[in-house]
Every structure is written in structure tokens, then in C-alpha cells.
Amino acid sequence: MNIKLCENLGANANTLVNFVYQDSDFISMNEGQDIYQIIKKNSQFKATYNEMFFTSLVKDGDLKNLIFVGLGKSKELTTDKIRKIAAKVIKKVIKENKSEINVGLIKNSHLKLENIFSAMVEGFLLGDYRFDKYKNSKKNSKDNKVIELSIILSNEEKTNQELLNNILIEIKEVVGFACIARNLVNEPANIMTPEKLANYVNKLGKENNFEVNIMDESLINELGMEAFLAVAKGSANSPKLIVMRYFGDDANKNDVLGLVGKGLTYDSGGYSIKPTESMVTMKSDMGGAATIISVIAAVAKMKLKVNLIGVVAACENLISDKSYKPGDIIGSMAGKYIEVLNTDAEGRLTLADAVYYIINKEKVTKVIDVATLTGAAIIALGNITTAAITNNEQFYFELKKSADLTDEKIWQLPSFDEYREQIISKIADLKNVGGRSAGTITAGLFIGEFVKDDIPWIHLDIAGTSWSDKSKDYYSAGATGIGVRLLYDYIKRYSTSK
Ligand code: BES
Ligand code: ZN
Ligand code: ZN
């Protein structure tokens, strides 16, 4: 999609989108004013939230589609409602094969112009996402056009044009990278192997000016990452340790945020094998990796004043004569021994080494890990909210602010010491499963065992939020790219608060 700001109505647009409220006469564009008065008098259209009215008008001898989009009551409008309705409009427009659109900017007395504008643009761009490269009928179709969208500014809004243009440039990048995260996850596991993922990160690094260092099996072995290697052993596709470094704040070289992403390019469960239905979507088990890779690329592209290091321990969890087995005791880079009770609880093993590595070798001063870690997170919070575990309330509080601002929701789970007992093994230091109860908490605490006490750390379990079974709001069926807008916002606010 190409979005631009426009001072007057683009002559060629074939579709005009007008936002209207249930409880006021506001109309987001002058075009269609008269028709709207007639519609209001003579139709059932009440402009409740999500309601749409389709009609057409003749302008300069051309037939134009006119869509009235209900926003509900003015006081009840939120940025997330704007994002959702904007995506809905775009999905509708795609369905109708329309490609040139004029949209009037929404006005609201209790929301800031910048926030309204951002939410609209995000909704349009996120809603336009399509993953159809393997669908010849769509990919090659004449109807699969690039959407040209003009946001029409009123006279008074024109004074803000520069501000809005800068916001537009940034959002295009950030949402663009969220869509790259979606692409990485949506690629099937036979294509997106650890090596392919590593190559792609190399490419992103070159394009956006951050350093990428890929380590193969022998180097991973030299580092002593025994837990990571135990998981990777069952696959002929060898593991890759992907390290990304972006230094945009030279004055504070010792202040480095570490980002770790779970990078299972496929999770069959191993010998603790998953049922087929759960296995089909397990190409998505590198959603955490896709998120942090995309965030680092976005931050580097926007040249934010901050230092970031990212680590992904990429591998596949498969079955072969080399695979690790339930009952095995394995080592780890930290020197701790782990009793493997279930080979399907593999993510925490790869993350244990990745987190230990980023703190002890890369010397980061704070860590966020992002992982599709537990089915229990879906049971607890559904597909709406990401589960969080932390050892630092202040750090969590700052990230929560970004969650509220971006509507990428997170919620903290308790991590009282008592839960820790569940992951202590009788015959090794730790066991990789803490029983059925509090599964998301014990999984998070397992990773926490490899974090130094004085390093602020947040664990985000995105098992429920990184994937959507159906097209909904600003998501399409498949990967959601969750976490990219959240972490970008956090990093940006952090970089400017120093
Ligand atoms: N990758 C899965 C978690 C998952 C489940 C992600 C559903 C997305 C959707 C993880 O490796 C896993 O299998 N976890 C087990 C842990 C259990 C054996 C303690 C689970 O949640 O069942
Ligand atoms: Zn698993
Ligand atoms: Zn997994």
C-alpha cells in the first residue's frame, strides 16, 4: 500500500471513505455531505461502531464508491477502535477490488490528532497484509493491486502536515517490519530453516546497518551451549546462533538492552511428540525470534539513539536416532544440569543458553526475552494478552506503558519463590517441566534461573498472541507480528528519556 497525505481530493480515487459518529454531525470529508444527510433521514444506518453504508455518487462524469463508516459514540472512541475499523475498511476495499482510496482524517475531542492519525495509518497498513506468495490464483491475479490511499487533510489540519508526515514515515517503517515478522513466521518450516533465517538476518543487517554474527554448530559447541545443542541434535538442519548488534548511543556504550527470541523454526515436540493438529502450526515457534529481529531492524533503520544486542538460538526440534530423549540429563552453558522430563519443553532449554550467553558474553545490562513458550499461556490469557514474568517491577512498569500505548497487551503473572520449587529436580539441578499447574510461570522461572539477579529481566510468553487462527481486526489468519510495535515503542521512549 502507498499512503500519502493530500491537501485536496485526489482526482483519480475510485473510493471515498467517510468516517461518521453516532452522536454528532461530524463527517471526515466534505465529499458526500449532502448524500449523508439523505442517508441519515431515510436509512437504517445509525453510524454505530463497525457499521458501514455503501453507496455511490457521480463526480466529474465518473462513478465513485462512497463508504460511510460508523465510529459509534464520540466519547467512546479509542485508538485501538480506530486501528481496528481502519483495518476493516481496508479488508473490505481489497475484497471489492478497489485500489484508489481517499479517506478523511477522523477528529475527536478527547484523542490527540497524532494518536488518531497513527492509529488510522497502523490499521490501514496492518489490515492490508497478505501472505499469498504460494497462491498462484491470487498472486498473479489482475485484481491483486497495490492500494493507493490518500488521507485528506482539512484546512486547519494542514498546519500539522509536517508533524503528520514524520509520523507517517516512521509508522511505515515500523509496521513494515511487523509485516516482515509476519512473513518470517508464515514461511513454512521446510523453507524457513535455521540457516535460511540466519541468511535473512544477514541481509537485514546489511540493508539497515546493524552487525550480524552467525555461529554454527562447532562455535556453539565451543561456547558450551549444551542445552541448546541437545534440542538441535535431532535435526539434519544444523543450528545457528544468530547475534545482532546495533550501537546507536556511543555516549552510553555500557548501557545495552538485550533482546532474546525463541527461534524454533519447527517444534514437533520430539520424542514427547505433539498430536498432528498441534504440530501443523509449529512453524510459528520462531515467533519470538521474528519479533526481536524485526525490532532491531526497525530501530537501526530509524537510527534511534540506543544500544541493542539480539540473540536467537535457531534450531528444529525433531525425532531421529540423534535426538535427546525424555529422562536424559543435559548440561548448559551456565554449568547447571537439567533433567529432561519432556522433550516438548524445548524452548526454555534453548533460551536458558541464549539468555546466559547474552548476559555473560555480550554484557547486556537489561534483557527482554520473547517466546512462544507454553500452551498454558493460551489457557490463561487466550489470544488477547501476552503473559509476562519479571524480576524488576520498574522495568515491567515501563514496558507496560508501551503496551497501553500500542494496544499490544501484556499482563504480569506472579513469580513468587514458592513456584521455583516445582522446577527443582531430585537428581539434577533443574528439571525442564514443573508439572501441570502454573505452567507459564514455571516455564518463565526456568529461564530466570539463567539470568543474573542484578540484571533487570522481562520474559514475554507470546504463545497465545503471535498466531491468529482467523482474520480478525488488524490481523490476518496466521502470524500477527505481535511485539514489534510494543518493543519499538518501549525502545524509542527509553532512548529519548536518557
Ligand atoms: N512451542 C510450544 C508452545 C506452544 C503451544 C506455542 C501452542 C504455541 C502454541 C512449546 O515448546 C511446548 O510445546 N510447550 C509445552 C510445555 C509442556 C510440555 C510443559 C506445552 O505448552 O504443552
Ligand atoms: Zn515444544
Ligand atoms: Zn516450542
Side-chain angles (χ1 to χ4, degrees), residues 262 264 267 274 282 285 344 346-347 372-373:
K262 176 172 172 181
L264 266 289
D267 179 13
K274 287 179 184 296
M282 276 304 137
D285 215 15
D344 198 11
E346 83 299 334
T372 49
L373 204 64

Tab-separated table of all heavy atoms in Angstrom, residues 262 264 267 274 282 285 344 346-347 372-373, ligand 3:
chain	number	residue	atom	x	y	z
A	262	LYS	N	12.877	-16.734	21.034
A	262	LYS	CA	12.829	-18.187	20.806
A	262	LYS	C	12.800	-18.437	19.306
A	262	LYS	O	11.959	-17.891	18.594
A	262	LYS	CB	11.590	-18.791	21.482
A	262	LYS	CG	11.423	-20.303	21.191
A	262	LYS	CD	10.306	-20.948	22.012
A	262	LYS	CE	10.043	-22.387	21.557
A	262	LYS	NZ	8.956	-23.053	22.295
A	264	LEU	N	12.697	-21.621	17.427
A	264	LEU	CA	12.453	-22.980	16.954
A	264	LEU	C	11.775	-22.878	15.588
A	264	LEU	O	10.587	-22.559	15.500
A	264	LEU	CB	11.570	-23.742	17.950
A	264	LEU	CG	12.267	-24.604	19.021
A	264	LEU	CD1	12.910	-25.838	18.393
A	264	LEU	CD2	13.311	-23.815	19.792
A	267	ASP	N	8.793	-27.138	15.753
A	267	ASP	CA	8.713	-27.878	17.013
A	267	ASP	C	7.720	-29.034	16.868
A	267	ASP	O	6.512	-28.834	16.933
A	267	ASP	CB	8.265	-26.929	18.140
A	267	ASP	CG	8.132	-27.655	19.481
A	267	ASP	OD1	8.617	-28.802	19.601
A	267	ASP	OD2	7.558	-27.047	20.408
A	274	LYS	N	4.011	-34.207	19.584
A	274	LYS	CA	2.731	-33.495	19.620
A	274	LYS	C	1.710	-34.223	18.759
A	274	LYS	O	2.086	-34.859	17.773
A	274	LYS	CB	2.904	-32.085	19.017
A	274	LYS	CG	3.652	-31.106	19.866
A	274	LYS	CD	3.766	-29.765	19.134
A	274	LYS	CE	4.591	-28.772	19.914
A	274	LYS	NZ	4.016	-28.387	21.196
A	282	MET	N	3.302	-25.377	14.027
A	282	MET	CA	4.543	-25.214	14.788
A	282	MET	C	5.703	-24.595	14.011
A	282	MET	O	6.805	-24.416	14.540
A	282	MET	CB	4.954	-26.525	15.444
A	282	MET	CG	4.228	-26.735	16.769
A	282	MET	SD	4.502	-25.339	17.901
A	282	MET	CE	2.876	-25.104	18.568
A	285	ASP	N	6.881	-21.432	15.823
A	285	ASP	CA	7.604	-21.463	17.092
A	285	ASP	C	8.882	-20.611	17.079
A	285	ASP	O	9.672	-20.644	18.021
A	285	ASP	CB	7.920	-22.918	17.467
A	285	ASP	CG	7.865	-23.143	18.973
A	285	ASP	OD1	7.323	-22.276	19.683
A	285	ASP	OD2	8.375	-24.184	19.439
A	344	ASP	N	9.220	-31.828	24.627
A	344	ASP	CA	8.434	-30.751	24.036
A	344	ASP	C	8.601	-29.433	24.810
A	344	ASP	O	8.174	-28.386	24.351
A	344	ASP	CB	6.949	-31.160	23.982
A	344	ASP	CG	6.145	-30.305	23.020
A	344	ASP	OD1	6.765	-29.542	22.251
A	344	ASP	OD2	4.907	-30.407	23.043
A	346	GLU	N	11.120	-27.632	25.028
A	346	GLU	CA	12.458	-27.408	24.468
A	346	GLU	C	12.851	-25.940	24.439
A	346	GLU	O	14.030	-25.602	24.501
A	346	GLU	CB	12.527	-28.009	23.049
A	346	GLU	CG	11.979	-27.114	21.921
A	346	GLU	CD	10.505	-26.748	22.056
A	346	GLU	OE1	9.767	-27.515	22.691
A	346	GLU	OE2	10.103	-25.690	21.545
A	347	GLY	N	11.829	-25.071	24.337
A	347	GLY	CA	12.113	-23.639	24.177
A	347	GLY	C	12.928	-23.105	25.337
A	347	GLY	O	13.916	-22.387	25.160
A	372	THR	N	7.316	-18.084	22.115
A	372	THR	CA	6.083	-18.880	22.052
A	372	THR	C	6.317	-20.084	22.948
A	372	THR	O	6.604	-21.173	22.483
A	372	THR	CB	5.845	-19.346	20.602
A	372	THR	OG1	7.068	-19.913	20.105
A	372	THR	CG2	5.409	-18.210	19.702
A	373	LEU	N	6.209	-19.859	24.265
A	373	LEU	CA	6.772	-20.845	25.190
A	373	LEU	C	5.804	-21.912	25.694
A	373	LEU	O	6.173	-23.078	25.787
A	373	LEU	CB	7.430	-20.133	26.378
A	373	LEU	CG	8.510	-20.973	27.060
A	373	LEU	CD1	9.678	-21.251	26.132
A	373	LEU	CD2	9.022	-20.301	28.327
B	3	ZN	ZN	8.225	-24.895	21.246
